[in-house]
Amino acid sequence: MNTLLALCAFVLSLAGVDLGAGTFVHQLREGGAEILHSRAVVQAGVGHFECVRSASGRCHYTVYPRGCEPSAECGEHPLRRFALDSGDSRQVTGLAHVRLCVGPDDPAPQRTCKPPRALAQR
């Protein structure tokens, strides 16, 4: 099934259709010590999330639509929220054009999520 989705995404990309692919790397440091390292790749609507390391033992993920800021109304209703143990990974389908927020603790409220503290790449 993933091969079929990847093939469809490739054909659509040749036609100039943007499916919202992106690579996200988050590395948070405090006082010179790494407190979080996470990698995520979203391609053809499928996201692969990996919690490489977290000082708390878990990476907490919040997935927003790309144009949404956490302080906006849509920030109160993210597309997905989940946590992974350090060293674990997870695949999530149904994602495209997203913005990712990752932290070592479960942020409540979501307004505490500040992308500039992380290295996020599209």
Side-chain angles (χ1 to χ4, degrees), residues 23-77:
T23 299
F24 305 87
V25 176
H26 289 80
Q27 291 179 303
L28 301 178
R29 295 187 176 274
E30 230 174 62
E34 184 178 67
I35 59 170
L36 181 116
H37 184 181
S38 169
R39 286 188 292 242
V41 176
V42 178
Q43 193 167 19
V46 178
H48 179 78
F49 300 86
E50 180 182 7
C51 179
V52 179
R53 274 183 300 286
S54 176
S56 70
R58 295 181 66 103
C59 294
H60 295 268
Y61 295 87
T62 306
V63 182
Y64 296 102
R66 185 182 291 163
C68 176
E69 292 298 322
S71 60
E73 184 178 317
C74 59
E76 299 298 321
H77 304 286

Side-chain angles (χ1 to χ4, degrees), residues 1 20 24 28-29 32 34 39 51 55 65 72 74 80 84 87 91 93-94 97-98 111-112 117 121:
M1 182 66 174
F24 305 87
L28 301 178
R29 295 187 176 274
E34 184 178 67
R39 286 188 292 242
C51 179
C74 59
R80 296 268 198 321
L84 292 175
Q91 189 166 305
T93 59
H97 304 287
V98 298
R111 293 185 185 108
T112 62
R117 290 189 60 201
Q121 302 172 354

Side-chain angles (χ1 to χ4, degrees), residues 6-18:
L7 180 61
C8 289
F10 175 72
V11 171
L12 289 172
S13 69
L14 289 176
V17 177
D18 177 16

Side-chain angles (χ1 to χ4, degrees), residues 86-98:
S86 191
D88 282 349
S89 64
R90 178 178 181 180
Q91 189 166 305
V92 178
T93 59
L95 301 178
H97 304 287
V98 298

